[in-house]
Amino acid sequence: MAKKSQVARDAKRRAMYDKHSARRAELKAKLKASWDAPMTRSEIQAELQSMPRNSSPTRLKNRCAVTGRSRGYMRKFGLSRISFREMASEGLLPGIRKASW
């Protein structure tokens, strides 16, 4: 189990990302559209930089939904490898079974 503070920090970052993602996408689109006007570009970049750091998508960390573990994360299931193995062996994941041949 991950530390509660790390899980809480990531939840806070995800909430901030959800809150500011529309505005950030709008500014990014404006930035791509105004490639020839240098003053406009600098103003848009300044506005982007003034947004909270935690609203950036690169600050998010993939974590297991059950344990909060960050390593060995399986994107398709949203679980760590350990939680995935336990749940698969108990039959809690539909369509997943141990391979044998």
Side-chain angles (χ1 to χ4, degrees):
M1 183 84 183
K3 286 170 42 175
K4 288 182 181 179
S5 60
Q6 289 176 329
V7 174
R9 185 183 309 145
D10 190 56
K12 178 182 172 185
R13 285 181 177 161
R14 286 189 186 279
M16 192 168 286
Y17 169 73
D18 291 339
K19 180 180 176 185
H20 295 283
S21 63
R23 179 68 180 147
R24 184 175 286 275
E26 179 185 319
L27 288 173
K28 291 267 191 176
K30 276 186 184 177
L31 196 62
K32 283 187 178 182
S34 67
W35 60 273
D36 56 345
M39 281 304 289
T40 311
R41 279 184 68 80
S42 62
E43 291 169 3
I44 295 170
Q45 285 174 341
E47 193 171 347
L48 256 173
Q49 289 176 349
S50 69
M51 293 184 81
R53 279 189 178 184
N54 284 338
S55 68
S56 172
T58 57
R59 307 244 325 170
L60 298 177
K61 181 77 173 163
N62 289 331
R63 291 193 173 272
C64 175
V66 177
T67 60
R69 181 181 168 88
S70 63
R71 295 178 178 219
Y73 179 79
M74 300 177 81
R75 227 182 251 175
K76 186 175 180 179
F77 302 98
L79 299 170
S80 68
R81 61 184 175 81
I82 299 165
S83 299
F84 173 79
R85 186 160 190 239
E86 289 173 357
M87 292 176 81
S89 64
E90 292 172 9
L92 298 175
L93 300 175
I96 304 295
R97 71 173 181 205
K98 191 173 184 304
S100 60
W101 56 88

